[in-house]
Amino acid sequence: MKLIDLSQPVEDGMPVYPGDSGVRLKQTRIYGTDHYSNHRLETEMHAGTHVDGPMHMLDVNKHICDIGLEHFCGKGCIIRSHNESIIRIRDEYPDIIKGKDIVLLHTGMDSCYGKKEYYLNHPVLDMSFCEMLASNNIKMVGFDMPSPDRFPFEAHKYLLSHRILILENLTNLDKINDGESFELMAFPIKVKSDSCMVRAVAGIL
Ligand SMILES: N[C@@H](CC(=O)c1ccccc1NC=O)C(=O)O
């Protein structure tokens, strides 16, 4: 199976959502002096490519490790939505989404990942688009932008309350061809937190 890495790199000082604490990644032991290597990673859970779990924006006590593994993988499809400030339903979407578990939105925003405009000018999901995902029993929606919405985060709340996980800050979506069958996998580590960084991968079938 050909594997396409859809993840942003995790590194010291990597981009974070405005207001979040910065990521610190330091080498704490060096092979030459300590005879082994080790690293310390200090991060919030919403840096880089990550999955938002229900606890992120709902008043629930369900950690990301309490969500079944089957929610983090499944049959994927991709929707191209370049140059749209509001992502609305189009006539061709029902056919693309039919029988799929995970919907990826390719907006092209990852070309300015880390710049101010990435966080300030990203498109948002129309609520009827979110409703269409819920009526199709979609498990997870992912995109190459930092958020599906802005304050007061109506799309986040709607998606999570309809058991749809949110996969943010993807890249390399141009490497998946239109109409190609693929499996999407984006597993969090087994951590007691609201959300978690993931390695997002498309396995071309
Ligand atoms: N309980 C279910 C999943 C679940 O609760 C859930 C999955 C995705 C997004 C939100 C969820 N829960 C919302 O309250 C399970 O772990 O299989």
Side-chain angles (χ1 to χ4, degrees), residues 52-54 58 60 62 66-68 70-71 139 159-165:
D52 285 354
L58 302 177
V60 294
K62 197 178 252 288
D66 300 326
I67 307 286
E70 64 280 6
H71 289 268
K139 293 182 189 179
L159 294 167
L160 294 171
S161 64
H162 287 79
R163 289 178 155 55
I164 302 174
L165 294 168

Side-chain angles (χ1 to χ4, degrees), residues 27-39:
Q27 185 158 359
T28 51
R29 292 287 181 257
I30 296 166
Y31 188 84
T33 46
D34 303 305
H35 309 290
Y36 67 101
S37 298
N38 202 350
H39 286 78

Side-chain angles (χ1 to χ4, degrees), residues 10-187:
V10 175
E11 55 197 10
D12 191 60
M14 65 191 275
V16 294
Y17 197 79
D20 284 2
S21 312
V23 173
R24 295 287 161 257
L25 175 60
K26 297 276 180 254
Q27 185 158 359
T28 51
R29 292 287 181 257
I30 296 166
Y31 188 84
T33 46
D34 303 305
H35 309 290
Y36 67 101
S37 298
N38 202 350
H39 286 78
R40 176 185 168 83
L41 175 63
E42 188 182 335
T43 184
E44 289 181 343
M45 290 297 179
H46 297 267
T49 307
H50 68 278
V51 170
D52 285 354
M55 203 175 168
H56 182 47
M57 294 242 176
L58 302 177
D59 188 14
V60 294
N61 199 15
K62 197 178 252 288
H63 293 112
I64 198 92
C65 60
D66 300 326
I67 307 286
L69 287 173
E70 64 280 6
H71 289 268
F72 300 95
C73 58
K75 282 187 201 137
C77 63
I78 189 155
I79 283 174
R80 313 282 174 192
S81 53
H82 285 61
N83 307 314
E84 287 175 45
S85 55
I86 302 177
I87 296 167
R88 296 193 167 89
I89 306 176
R90 284 173 176 263
D91 292 347
E92 61 269 30
Y93 293 172
D95 278 348
I96 298 175
I97 289 173
K98 201 173 172 224
K100 300 296 193 296
D101 305 305
I102 296 173
V103 173
L104 301 181
L105 297 171
H106 183 202
T107 70
M109 277 306 288
D110 65 331
S111 64
C112 55
Y113 177 66
K115 292 189 191 147
K116 250 189 187 168
E117 65 200 272
Y118 181 72
Y119 298 101
L120 296 178
N121 297 339
H122 66 79
V124 294
L125 307 193
D126 186 55
M127 287 310 293
S128 54
F129 183 90
C130 297
E131 286 161 18
M132 183 270 293
L133 296 179
S135 63
N136 278 277
N137 285 318
I138 292 303
K139 293 182 189 179
M140 180 151 67
V141 60
F143 34 73
D144 53 354
M145 55 181 190
S147 176
D149 54 13
R150 298 193 176 82
F151 182 83
F153 305 114
E154 197 185 354
H156 264 95
K157 288 173 185 156
Y158 179 88
L159 294 167
L160 294 171
S161 64
H162 287 79
R163 289 178 155 55
I164 302 174
L165 294 168
I166 307 169
L167 173 58
E168 299 176 335
N169 295 327
L170 292 171
T171 190
N172 289 335
L173 292 175
D174 57 320
K175 302 212 163 73
I176 303 173
N177 297 319
D178 286 332
E180 209 160 42
S181 293
F182 67 95
E183 182 86 12
L184 191 284
M185 298 152 273
F187 294 105

